[in-house]
């Protein structure tokens, strides 16, 4: 008959068991929380070519490692795991496969050199699968917009048709992106979807009242789940700035300006070359027409024709024009403004332009006149009276 274990012995055994279990848990955790991640796989048809692993940061891309592929095409990269979810890419020639690293340890990718960026398969991460779907939607939109731009430049489609189809194409991408953004706003796929671009322009407009909701959803989730992440801080600041602009209600009332008592409010915006041009630099010692406009509007060609006649007639006497586009489509603006002889700039905030708000622009077109001393002397309500008003300041 076995002897009964004393209470003291039971206590000692209990402590020992807890210690052993604790050690096991620590060992298990250590084995399953490696400080590195691995991306491996096979790239066929790339014998002798070099593939690169790069970290895609907020504002720069950093080369991490490279491998020269053999006929077998096998590769393996191991790198230190980031402190917070981050983005990486494999680059082969000019083709790229984007992926993210969060809690996963190993990602496996299979691709062909010829269709490296579009027909690859990825295993080990649902977020990386989602990033592939988002990338394909973005590429489809880019190709469609490029085709539309060519048709427009060749005069095969009208201005209004071009604009409508551009908007439809961008919306098609955003419809795909929103599924990932709103279903899991804390995911790397949601963040990735938010920042896809075409020619340096975001599909999701920070100054669009509907699009900013997507920024808000991801910013709130990232701030909650990854409060110390640089991406969280960057996204939070972008969203906060956007909301401030949308909520800003500080217009300066210039409706009844008829005297030389009020000097103009300076404007600094990029021209067609991306160079920032100040209104003050244009207006130095000469009269200027300030025009807030939208090239996509039906009345725009007639307005520019009228401005062109006045510019040609009086430019020799010092007259200049500073034209501010509020078009949402930068490509349309660039095409339409490319042959204009005067200063053409664009405000990316579009209809939510703070500058237009400060000038109390309630409808387009809006026209103001500066005299040679830099005084805002007239708000022109009818373009038919513009020439007479210009003569008055000459």
């Amino acid at each position: 008959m076995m002897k009964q274990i004393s209470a003291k012995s039971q206590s000692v055994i209990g402590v020992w068991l807890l210690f052993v279990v604790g050690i096991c848990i620590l060992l298990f955790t250590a084995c399953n929380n490696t400080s590195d991640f691995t991306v491996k796989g096979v790239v066929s048809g790339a014998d002798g070519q070099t593939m690169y692993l790069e970290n895609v940061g907020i504002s720069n891309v950093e080369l991490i490692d490279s491998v020269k592929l053999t006929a077998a095409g096998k590769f393996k990269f191991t790198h230190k795991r980031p402190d917070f979810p981050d983005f990486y890419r494999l680059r082969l020639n000019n083709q790229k496969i984007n992926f993210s690293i969060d809690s996963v340890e190993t990602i496996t990718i299979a691709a062909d050199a010829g269709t490296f960026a579009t027909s690859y398969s990825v295993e080990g991460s649902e977020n990386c699968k989602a990033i592939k779907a988002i990338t394909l939607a973005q590429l489809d939109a880019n190709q469609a917009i490029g085709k539309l731009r060519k048709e427009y430049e060749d005069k095969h489609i009208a201005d209004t048709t071009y604009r409508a189809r551009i908007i439809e194409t961008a919306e098609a991408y955003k419809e795909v992106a929103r599924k990932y953004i709103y279903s899991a706003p804390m995911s790397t796929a949601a963040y990735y979807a938010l920042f896809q671009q075409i020619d340096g322009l975001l599909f999701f407009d920070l100054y669009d009242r509907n699009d900013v909701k997507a920024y808000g959803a991801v910013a709130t989730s990232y701030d909650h789940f990854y409060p110390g992440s640089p991406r969280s801080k960057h996204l939070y600041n972008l969203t906060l700035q956007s909301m401030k602009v949308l909520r800003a209600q500080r217009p300066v009332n210039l409706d009844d300006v008829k005297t030389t008592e009020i000097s103009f409010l300076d404007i600094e915006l990029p021209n067609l070359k991306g160079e920032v041009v100040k209104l003050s630099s244009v207006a130095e010692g000469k009269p200027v027409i300030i025009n807030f406009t939208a090239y996509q509007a039906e009345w725009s060609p007639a307005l520019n024709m009228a401005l062109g006649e006045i510019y040609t007639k009086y430019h020799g006497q010092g007259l200049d024009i500073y034209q501010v586009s509020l078009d949402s489509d930068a490509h349309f603006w660039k095409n339409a403004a490319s042959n204009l002889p005067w200063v053409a700039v664009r405000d990316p905030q579009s209809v939510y332009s703070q500058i237009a708000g400060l000038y109390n622009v309630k409808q387009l077109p809006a026209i103001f006149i500066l005299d040679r001393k830099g005084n805002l002397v007239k708000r022109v309500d009818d373009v038919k009276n513009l020439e007479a008003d210009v003569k008055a300041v000459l």
Side-chain angles (χ1 to χ4, degrees):
M1 188 173 179
M2 296 180 64
K3 294 182 179 180
Q4 188 175 7
I5 300 174
S6 68
K8 183 176 180 181
S9 297
Q10 288 178 351
S11 177
V12 171
I13 292 172
V15 170
W16 172 250
L17 286 173
L18 285 173
F19 175 76
V20 172
V21 170
I23 292 295
C24 290
I25 291 174
L26 287 172
L27 289 172
F28 179 81
T29 303
C31 292
N32 286 275
N33 282 279
T34 175
S35 60
D36 296 334
F37 72 86
T38 298
V39 55
K40 64 179 182 177
V42 177
V43 180
S44 59
D47 186 14
Q49 298 183 45
T50 301
M51 185 171 69
Y52 302 89
L53 172 65
E54 298 172 328
N55 175 218
V56 183
I58 296 174
S59 58
N60 68 310
V61 177
E62 178 186 356
L63 175 63
I64 296 174
D65 202 353
S66 64
V67 62
K68 189 170 184 179
L69 297 167
T70 64
K74 290 185 178 181
F75 70 91
K76 181 178 180 180
F77 291 114
T78 299
H79 186 65
K80 184 178 182 299
R81 182 187 299 278
D83 294 331
F84 302 98
D86 210 354
F87 296 89
Y88 298 83
R89 70 187 187 192
L90 298 176
R91 177 167 59 85
L92 183 68
N93 299 321
N94 291 323
Q95 298 190 80
K96 306 173 187 70
I97 294 176
N98 290 284
F99 63 94
S100 65
I101 293 296
D102 40 35
S103 60
V104 299
E105 292 179 12
T106 303
I107 292 174
T108 304
I109 292 175
D112 181 87
T115 56
F116 186 74
T118 56
S119 298
Y120 67 93
S121 66
V122 57
E123 298 296 334
S125 168
E126 292 303 312
N127 269 322
C128 291
K129 291 180 180 179
I131 285 173
K132 177 188 175 182
I134 294 163
T135 298
L136 293 178
Q138 184 255 358
L139 290 174
D140 287 344
N142 279 1
Q143 290 176 359
I145 289 174
K147 184 179 178 182
L148 284 170
R149 190 182 307 137
K150 181 68 168 58
E151 290 179 359
Y152 175 74
E153 290 171 350
D154 293 342
K155 309 294 184 184
H156 293 158
I157 55 175
D159 293 354
T160 51
T161 303
Y162 174 66
R163 176 176 179 271
R165 290 184 181 175
I166 288 287
I167 293 172
E168 288 173 6
T169 303
E171 188 58 34
Y173 165 76
K174 289 195 283 188
E175 186 176 348
V176 173
R178 287 189 192 104
K179 294 177 182 178
Y180 297 98
I181 290 171
Y182 291 117
S183 63
M186 78 297 293
S187 68
T188 52
Y191 185 101
Y192 181 81
L194 202 59
F195 285 99
Q196 290 310 289
Q197 305 176 358
I198 175 169
D199 295 344
L201 299 172
L202 292 166
F203 279 98
F204 284 89
D205 187 349
L206 271 163
Y207 302 101
D208 180 277
R209 293 187 183 277
N210 289 321
D211 287 357
V212 78
K213 295 176 184 176
Y215 284 97
V218 180
T220 301
S221 294
Y222 260 64
D223 189 54
H224 175 73
F225 287 96
Y226 319 113
S229 167
R231 292 187 182 275
S232 299
K233 296 174 183 177
H234 175 252
L235 179 55
Y236 180 83
N237 289 333
L238 276 180
T239 307
L240 188 62
Q241 176 189 346
S242 170
M243 289 181 172
K244 284 181 178 179
V245 169
L246 293 176
R247 292 170 181 169
Q249 297 292 333
R250 300 184 296 111
V252 176
N253 190 354
L254 301 176
D255 281 333
D256 300 318
V257 171
K258 301 213 182 270
T259 71
T260 62
E261 295 177 2
I262 299 179
S263 295
F264 69 91
L265 300 162
D266 206 0
I267 302 173
E268 298 181 43
L269 289 171
N271 62 12
L272 294 167
K273 296 179 180 179
E275 302 165 343
V276 174
V277 180
K278 287 186 176 183
L279 172 58
S280 55
S281 66
V282 176
E284 190 172 352
K286 56 186 176 182
V288 175
I289 295 172
I290 306 170
N291 173 219
F292 290 89
T293 189
Y295 292 87
Q296 294 167 322
E298 297 288 349
W299 43 257
S300 178
L303 172 65
N304 281 345
M305 188 174 295
L307 289 174
E309 291 175 359
I310 293 173
Y311 181 86
T312 301
K313 198 170 183 179
Y314 299 107
H315 182 59
Q317 298 180 43
L319 178 70
D320 215 329
I321 298 175
Y322 189 93
Q323 191 171 50
V324 181
S325 162
L326 299 184
D327 292 271
S328 58
D329 183 354
H331 306 291
F332 190 100
W333 164 66
K334 286 181 179 179
N335 287 328
S338 59
N339 295 317
L340 296 177
W342 54 78
V343 177
V345 298
R346 175 178 172 269
D347 190 338
Q349 294 180 9
S350 186
V351 293
Y352 303 111
S353 167
Q354 281 186 302
I355 296 167
L358 291 171
Y359 273 83
N360 200 27
V361 175
K362 296 177 181 177
Q363 62 181 17
L364 299 178
I367 301 173
F368 303 89
I369 297 177
L370 301 179
D371 67 11
R372 293 183 186 275
K373 295 180 180 180
N375 297 309
L376 196 155
V377 295
K378 185 72 177 179
R379 178 170 189 151
V380 182
D381 296 320
D382 190 341
V383 71
K384 294 177 182 178
N385 301 325
L386 181 57
E387 184 171 3
D389 293 329
V390 168
K391 284 181 178 179
V393 298
L394 289 174

